[in-house]
Amino acid sequence: MKDEKPVRAKSAEPQPEPHLDTSADSDEPAFSWLTPAAKGSSTASGSSASPAGSAPPAASATEDGPAPASSTVDGESPRQGAGAPSAAARSSAVAMGAGTAPAHRDGSLQPESRADRKAAEAAAEGPGEDSSPVFKEPLPTSALQVRPPEEEVERRNAQRESAANAKPVAPRVMQVLLAIFFPLVLLILAVRAVTSPLFLWVEYNRPGFPGDGYGFSTDDRMTYGSYAVDYLSNWSGPRYLGDLVHRGGDKLFKDGEVSHMADVKLVILSTFGAGLLLVLFSIIAILYLRKRSTGGVRRGLFAGSIITLVTILGLGTLAVLGWQQFFTEFHRIFFADGSWTFSLDDTLIRLFPGQFWIDAGLVIAGLVLLAALVTLVLTWPTRRRRGLAKDRAAAPAAGTE
């Protein structure tokens, strides 16, 4: 083995060069505190440790026998003590400083890092009885490998399919509300058309309308009747009718008539206000369904037209079977008993006889029925409106691809 001289700092005395031959090195530790304690020895409380300058024991006992004593090489005796390293330590330090791996006693190279030394020792020992066995889990516990029972899988699949096929609740609610609001809006609009001066003029001038037996001409009826109709739709007080007088100076309407007209006005204005809110809600429902539900507006109006037809046919049947009973029950719903009955010579009866209310009921029913029929025809679920034509046209195209 080629001797290598380490670079040392210049000093007054020349330092001896270390001997690099490790064939005669022993296993003796370089320092005394590295010497293992003898088996079975115990320290007393008064005993003291060896001084730092004392020499280490000459030899250490091993299982194979006493270790060989250190010998001099080339006439030099090895330094022993706290600051004198052994020849093996010096050779290892020189080898590491030179960039080479330290060698074992048998001549094999020692790995440079701790991980390499561990891997080399494990490879040298090999699998044996003392080596720890490799841990292997008997059952995989990963979420990707463990599969739930078949019943649970089927249940989850069924829930997933039902959730995918279920339609949102909000569009259905909007369709139902639109179907309910539609007949009410049509009825209120028809009532508004009847409570107008135009209907009065048509009614007073139509052939067959009964005349007034107490002296009102058609012009008188049109004038006084317009006052009564205007009062129902404006914000004036009861004096609007209470201050009207005949040509002779008498009051045109009695106090009971004015009080009843005030009650009618309250019902009419409340109905018109509710109709305005229903129109706003219907517009909101239509705008929502146009964005969120394809065909939702058509289905809502179609259902509403059917409800309207059924309602009008039912009320019309009741009116035809007994108009007087129907008229009486209608007034009992909105007005107190005795507040809406008058004599034949009162102004309200002379302006609005029984035939007037029959004609008004027919006009209201006719307007609502006509609007419902037109809506029913326009929203009838044909193939084209339901999108079946597009689906059938797309199916052959997908088959040819």
Side-chain angles (χ1 to χ4, degrees), residues 208-228:
F209 189 79
D212 179 33
Y214 295 93
F216 280 168
S217 62
T218 302
D219 293 338
D220 293 338
R221 279 184 165 179
M222 188 66 198
T223 301
Y224 300 146
S226 298
Y227 273 100

Side-chain angles (χ1 to χ4, degrees), residues 146-161:
V146 177
R147 183 174 178 82
E150 294 295 333
E151 295 80 3
E152 183 68 15
V153 174
E154 294 178 359
R155 184 182 67 82
R156 293 182 181 179
N157 292 336
Q159 291 180 352
R160 190 180 298 107
E161 292 179 359

Side-chain angles (χ1 to χ4, degrees), residues 101 143 158 196 280 287 342:
S196 63
L280 293 178
L287 295 177
F342 306 98

